[in-house]
Amino acid sequence: MNKIAIVGNPPADKIEMLDALLGEEDLKDLCHVVIYSDTEKSDEQLLTEAIADYKDGHVKGIVCLPMKCSVKELVAKSSETENPDLMKVYVNTLARLASVREAKSEAALTMEDVVARVTLLSKSLKRDLNILNPRICMLCVNKEVTETSEEMTLMAPAINELVKNGIQVFGPLPYQGFFERKDIEAFDGIVQIYADEAMQNSHHTADAMQKNCNEPTVTMLTGGEMPVVLTAAEGMITAIGIVLDMIHNRYVYDIPFRHPLPKLYHERKEDGDKARFAKVKKGFNPAEHRRENVTYTTTRQPKTAPETAPAAANKAEGAE
């Protein structure tokens, strides 16, 4: 049975609710919960202990309560991959929402950045949530789209490149009334450019997702090998379920890539035979091998037609 780490010191008014949620019999049948909570230790110390136990194989996934430290930075530091590309994805039964950047920065955003983040989201939907062919929509940055806006100079070329790569991307679509119109139900994932700007203007954020869904919204940290989900106390059961899904789906998704069978044949490229036969071998003289210059020799005698009866009689008379 998988062991899931619950990390963090819950508020005093949420302790009873968490005890009731974690004490359900249905949850005990699914996983074993290990609680990392100590008021004398900081959130960073508790998360560091949970990460160490994950590396040692004692736990299979981590669920983090609201913390005063950056979970993303601690997970990135503990990763075996140098500079892992981690991304937060807001998840509930209604939608999966990701951002290209958490905030605006001095570094200019390029088309390659958008393509890389959307590709990462597409892989996460396949590997973590078992959505085989995800449909992803990109939301506009501005209310009005002009020729010089980011929608035309940045997002449109990125969408064309992603479509060429075989990823189903649509948009950019206007954010105004997107959740209220239930347009979200047509897509498996949503991408917004800047998370901080969306939160300030209340555009396509996790709050809007939660208003249109009866279940709480949790935050999945994808892009690394460690299954990590951030949640409030109300979304504990949802977060544990997503962590269990990540563990199982990643195992099934990675099996074919662990020990692939060696190739039993060499794939021929287009017009490969033409190029192979058109190539002149070293020391080959075409003039010597023309059809009119070739003589055939054989030791076999040519077949003769069987003699008829009158011809045989005439031959016998001539012999006499």
Side-chain angles (χ1 to χ4, degrees):
M1 182 179 293
N2 293 321
K3 292 184 178 180
I4 306 300
I6 309 297
V7 185
N9 294 314
D13 58 338
K14 302 293 183 180
I15 294 177
E16 293 184 1
M17 182 187 66
L18 283 174
D19 291 339
L21 292 175
L22 299 177
E24 292 185 1
E25 294 297 330
D26 294 340
L27 181 61
K28 293 180 179 179
D29 296 336
L30 294 175
C31 65
H32 179 69
V33 176
V34 182
I35 300 176
Y36 293 77
S37 179
D38 190 346
T39 55
E40 296 182 358
K41 295 183 179 179
S42 64
D43 294 337
E44 184 175 353
Q45 291 175 333
L46 294 174
L47 183 56
T48 303
E49 293 177 2
I51 292 174
D53 288 344
Y54 170 82
K55 290 184 175 181
D56 294 337
H58 300 308
V59 296
K60 296 295 184 180
I62 299 175
V63 175
C64 296
L65 292 168
M67 293 188 169
K68 297 179 181 179
C69 62
S70 176
V71 177
K72 185 177 178 180
E73 291 181 3
L74 286 176
V75 173
K77 289 180 181 179
S78 62
S79 177
E80 297 179 357
T81 306
E82 186 177 358
N83 299 325
D85 190 13
L86 300 179
M87 180 171 63
K88 291 182 178 181
V89 183
Y90 298 104
V91 181
N92 60 19
T93 57
L94 186 65
R96 276 69 51 184
L97 171 66
S99 303
V100 176
R101 280 191 179 175
E102 296 294 329
K104 282 188 175 181
S105 60
E106 295 180 358
L109 188 64
T110 62
M111 184 195 74
E112 288 74 15
D113 298 331
V114 179
V115 171
R117 301 298 276 183
V118 177
T119 303
L120 179 60
L121 175 62
S122 177
K123 183 179 178 180
S124 175
L125 294 175
K126 295 178 182 179
R127 186 170 181 250
D128 297 332
L129 302 179
N130 195 28
I131 302 175
L132 301 181
N133 193 18
R135 293 166 54 90
I136 300 173
C137 79
M138 298 187 67
L139 297 178
C140 295
V141 180
N142 308 297
K143 292 183 179 181
E144 296 181 0
V145 179
T146 62
E147 294 183 358
T148 58
S149 61
E150 292 176 289
E151 285 78 9
M152 298 300 296
T153 61
L154 183 68
M155 300 176 71
I159 292 173
N160 293 333
E161 183 67 21
L162 289 163
V163 171
K164 290 180 182 178
N165 297 338
I167 299 176
Q168 293 195 73
V169 184
F170 304 87
L173 302 179
Y175 60 80
Q176 197 70 30
F178 181 78
F179 291 92
E180 290 73 14
R181 291 193 305 268
K182 301 295 182 180
D183 293 346
I184 193 173
E185 296 178 359
F187 304 100
D188 302 303
I190 306 169
V191 177
Q192 61 186 12
I193 299 298
Y194 303 110
D196 61 340
E197 184 176 287
M199 293 176 69
Q200 291 174 7
N201 300 326
S202 299
H203 300 156
H204 41 265
T205 62
D207 295 335
M209 290 172 58
Q210 191 161 344
K211 288 179 182 178
N212 292 274
C213 183
N214 295 327
E215 292 187 7
T217 299
V218 301
T219 305
M220 182 176 67
L221 194 61
T222 187
E225 291 303 319
M226 191 184 309
V228 180
V229 175
L230 291 73
T231 181
E234 294 80 2
M236 181 60 65
I237 298 299
T238 303
I240 292 175
I242 291 177
V243 169
L244 292 174
D245 287 343
M246 293 173 69
I247 296 170
H248 173 73
N249 294 334
R250 286 184 177 187
Y251 175 78
V252 175
Y253 184 89
D254 294 341
I255 282 179
F257 303 99
R258 289 179 180 174
H259 303 289
L261 294 174
K263 272 191 175 182
L264 301 180
Y265 62 92
H266 295 285
E267 296 180 356
R268 293 179 179 178
K269 296 181 180 179
E270 187 177 359
D271 296 332
D273 288 344
K274 295 180 181 178
R276 182 160 61 94
F277 290 116
K279 184 178 180 181
V280 179
K281 295 182 180 179
K282 187 177 181 180
F284 178 80
N285 188 357
E288 297 178 358
H289 292 268
R290 291 175 182 170
R291 182 175 295 276
E292 58 269 17
N293 295 336
V294 176
T295 58
Y296 298 94
T297 59
T298 178
T299 57
R300 295 183 59 185
Q301 298 296 327
K303 292 183 178 181
T304 58
E307 296 180 351
T308 60
N314 296 334
K315 186 176 181 181
E317 292 178 359
E320 294 178 355

